[in-house]
Amino acid sequence: MGNSGNFWNNHLDAFDDLLEFKTSFDQIICPLSYGDQEYRIKVKEKGELVFGKNFVPLNDFLDYPDYVKRLLSCSHFFINSTRQLALGNILLLLYLGSKVIMDTSNPTFRFFNRNDIRVFSIAEAKSGQLENVDLDKTRTNLLRIWGKNSIRMKTNNLIQMIS
């Protein structure tokens, strides 16, 4: 849940939402390795109070392979921010097949929907409407936007524009 100990992740509100999700979670993994120290403490305390041993705060930075290994264990990724955050994590988890749940007011949520990349709303998670995602379609659409060929073409277009 979230990507850092930054208040923009709205962790404290997210805990209440998670309790209403029609999905069970073995663990709530919550990266808190950076951000405001006081806020991180509040998140950790409330997470442990609400979810007990199922709440797993990541208080320290992990080596990238270890961090990715943790992310691989996530069948769902909940980003409760109303602003663009955690795009690297979101892209990786979408590519790996996780169900990404976001606030519909987040511009990233709208971007993915406009580009036919399935992400789920909080309301859908609360109602249990988290159907299986077509992983091939998701990967194709992600690569269409962020793949090597796409980036190369966009870079060439920019170079032509400034030349």
Side-chain angles (χ1 to χ4, degrees):
M1 182 180 69
N3 73 310
S4 70
N6 185 298
F7 71 92
W8 288 107
N9 281 288
N10 299 318
H11 294 92
L12 302 177
D13 294 332
F15 293 147
D16 296 331
D17 288 328
L18 278 170
L19 292 171
E20 296 181 47
F21 284 8
K22 300 287 189 246
T23 302
S24 61
F25 302 101
D26 295 330
Q27 292 184 325
I28 309 293
I29 297 173
C30 187
L32 296 172
S33 56
Y34 64 94
D36 179 76
Q37 183 65 26
E38 287 182 37
Y39 178 76
R40 291 163 53 196
I41 291 168
K42 287 180 187 174
V43 169
K44 184 176 182 241
E45 288 173 352
K46 184 170 181 185
E48 289 171 346
L49 177 70
V50 174
F51 299 106
K53 293 177 186 176
N54 291 343
F55 184 74
V56 181
L58 301 180
N59 297 309
D60 300 313
F61 283 101
L62 300 173
D63 292 331
Y64 188 69
D66 293 333
Y67 185 66
V68 171
K69 187 176 179 182
R70 286 287 182 131
L71 293 180
L72 282 168
S73 73
C74 299
S75 60
H76 298 75
F77 180 60
F78 181 26
I79 185 77
N80 194 40
S81 178
T82 57
R83 60 183 286 194
Q84 181 179 322
L85 291 173
L87 190 57
N89 287 349
I90 293 169
L91 293 174
L92 177 61
L93 286 160
L94 283 168
Y95 194 84
L96 296 173
S98 294
K99 294 178 180 179
V100 174
I101 302 162
M102 302 178 75
D103 189 303
T104 57
S105 65
N106 186 317
T108 309
F109 179 90
R110 294 189 300 272
F111 175 84
F112 284 130
N113 278 302
R114 276 194 315 270
N115 285 282
D116 206 21
I117 298 169
R118 184 67 166 112
V119 292
F120 297 92
S121 69
I122 295 169
E124 288 172 311
K126 287 181 179 181
S127 70
Q129 297 175 349
L130 300 177
E131 75 273 0
N132 289 330
V133 175
D134 181 342
L135 187 55
D136 289 334
K137 179 180 172 183
T138 297
R139 288 178 173 171
T140 298
N141 287 332
L142 289 172
L143 291 172
R144 176 178 46 82
I145 299 165
W146 285 289
K148 281 184 182 181
N149 291 337
S150 176
I151 298 301
R152 185 177 296 118
M153 183 182 73
K154 291 173 187 175
T155 301
N156 287 335
N157 289 343
L158 282 173
I159 290 171
Q160 289 177 1
M161 287 173 59
I162 61 173
S163 297

